[in-house]
Amino acid sequence: MRIVSLAGGIGGARFLRGLRAAAPDAEITVIGNTGDDITLFGLRVCPDLDTVMYTLGGGINEEQGWGREKESHVVKEELAAYGVEPQWFGLGDRDFATHIVRSQMLEAGYTLSQVTEALCDRWQPGVRLLPMSDDRCETHVVITDEQGRRAVHFQEWWVRLRASVPAESIALVGADTASPAPGVLAAIEAADFVILPPSNPVVSIGTILQIPGIREALAGKTVVGVSPIIGGAPVRGMADACLTAIGVETSAQAVLSLYGSDLLDGWLVAPEDSSVALEGVRVEPRPLLMSDPDATAELARAALTLAQELSR
Ligand code: GDP
Ligand code: CA
């Protein structure tokens, strides 16, 4: 069985751990979001790729959902002592090593795909992890604050401002000239079906879908998605702020309509959202809370079963 999955950070990574448990013999290719990537202190940081890699590789900080376990913050404290900005982005010492290796390899001329493969040699995530693109694309957000109307990097809005200032618009800068990373279109082509985890529909899945060629490639496949919205609220985090920015209501119905029936064939919603419907999409209510590994594997199994039925 060949499965392709798109993924952001925490929501994607947790779901993928369940998917790997539900389909231990499957060949899983993960297309990771790189729209969150940012250069800090001269280092290239890829938060979503690293969250997937650490979660599946057994190095994640479980409570936090991102960053390394048993982490210390000496480098961050030393940088702050020099007054170096930004101080609002949390990078631990162990995590710094990953960004140093990545930046060194990128500087030497390796592509982000090659770097990701090299980092995964250590972590052995049990899936093939591909960045959505080797071309630099970054999500920027237009806001108005005390400094006036301006575009800031997604991380500044999300992490520093905690999305407290409304986003007037969200754009993936560089998307129009970007290409899917090597192997992305071939993996989709070869897949028996595609599963969309409950990742952020705007700045995780939505970003990946903006890389020219990816959405078109998915149109010909059986695609099953898991709703990140339960009963009108994101389960975790601030996805509602992103949906509002693009004029979409925070509901399982609105996210289904946003993805559309040209992309989706199946859509898993929570039991309280069982009235959700869209012509051409099979909607099934299932428990959607990834509260522990068993519940997550059960959710992944439900997505797999629906995808298998629909691809027949
Ligand atoms: P990020 O890049 O770290 O923000 O992570 P993702 O984009 O991969 O996932 C974030 C999304 O996961 C949020 O919008 C949440 O609504 C969703 N999410 C988190 N936990 C759960 C859960 O237990 N069940 C479901 N259905 N969605 C979840
Ligand atoms: Ca992310």
Side-chain angles (χ1 to χ4, degrees):
M1 189 159 53
R2 292 197 180 114
I3 308 171
V4 161
S5 191
L6 314 190
I10 304 178
R14 291 219 165 126
F15 180 84
L16 287 168
R17 203 158 49 177
L19 185 62
R20 205 183 45 183
D25 300 325
E27 216 178 88
I28 304 173
T29 301
V30 177
I31 302 171
N33 173 42
T34 58
D36 293 15
D37 294 8
I38 186 166
T39 300
L40 297 168
F41 316 113
L43 300 175
R44 193 69 180 152
V45 179
C46 302
D48 285 359
L49 292 180
D50 289 350
T51 296
V52 170
M53 185 173 79
Y54 295 154
T55 302
L56 296 181
I60 198 78
N61 177 327
E62 284 291 341
E63 300 87 79
Q64 201 169 249
W66 54 272
R68 292 287 311 281
E69 61 173 350
K70 302 193 187 95
E71 189 57 290
S72 55
H73 293 87
V74 178
V75 175
K76 188 178 194 300
E77 283 161 28
E78 288 295 313
L79 288 166
Y82 283 110
V84 176
E85 295 290 338
Q87 294 178 18
W88 45 261
F89 202 85
L91 290 179
D93 299 328
R94 291 178 192 277
D95 202 20
F96 259 112
T98 303
H99 312 314
I100 291 170
V101 174
R102 172 184 296 121
S103 305
Q104 213 171 19
M105 287 188 71
L106 288 172
E107 184 62 29
Y110 290 98
T111 63
L112 183 59
S113 314
Q114 291 170 323
V115 174
T116 305
E117 193 181 344
L119 294 171
C120 285
D121 268 348
R122 170 182 175 194
W123 289 102
Q124 297 291 316
V127 301
R128 186 161 159 244
L129 177 60
L130 304 176
M132 64 189 193
S133 178
D134 279 340
D135 302 316
R136 186 165 160 167
C137 315
E138 283 182 1
T139 303
H140 286 215
V141 176
V142 175
I143 58 165
T144 303
D145 63 2
E146 64 280 0
Q147 292 178 54
R149 185 163 190 269
R150 63 206 178 99
V152 296
H153 190 285
F154 169 73
Q155 298 294 359
E156 185 167 356
W157 178 62
W158 197 248
V159 178
R160 183 173 83 80
L161 299 169
R162 305 211 166 276
S164 58
V165 179
E168 291 164 36
S169 62
I170 300 180
L172 183 63
V173 178
D176 40 352
T177 54
S179 313
V184 165
L185 296 182
I188 295 172
E189 177 64 34
D192 295 306
F193 46 79
V194 176
I195 296 188
L196 306 187
S199 283
N200 189 307
V202 184
V203 295
S204 293
I205 305 280
T207 316
I208 301 169
L209 295 175
Q210 278 178 62
I211 300 300
I214 294 189
R215 203 183 165 109
E216 294 77 356
L218 292 173
K221 308 303 287 193
T222 299
V223 180
V224 167
V226 178
S227 176
I229 308 296
I230 299 182
V235 182
R236 211 169 185 271
M238 312 169 285
D240 48 334
C242 302
L243 287 165
T244 305
I246 63 161
V248 173
E249 186 189 292
T250 300
S251 68
Q253 178 69 56
V255 176
L256 168 59
S257 303
L258 172 68
Y259 286 152
S261 58
D262 55 330
L263 174 68
L264 286 179
D265 300 283
W267 186 232
L268 296 185
V269 298
E272 56 262 56
D273 293 316
S274 59
S275 62
V276 164
L278 184 70
E279 202 186 325
V281 180
R282 172 109 68 93
V283 178
E284 286 197 359
R286 286 283 182 281
L288 293 197
L289 276 182
M290 301 189 286
S291 38
D292 59 60
D294 287 345
T296 309
E298 197 51 45
L299 171 59
R301 208 166 289 121
L304 273 175
T305 306
L306 181 57
Q308 279 168 322
E309 272 175 45
L310 291 170
S311 60
R312 249 184 238 126

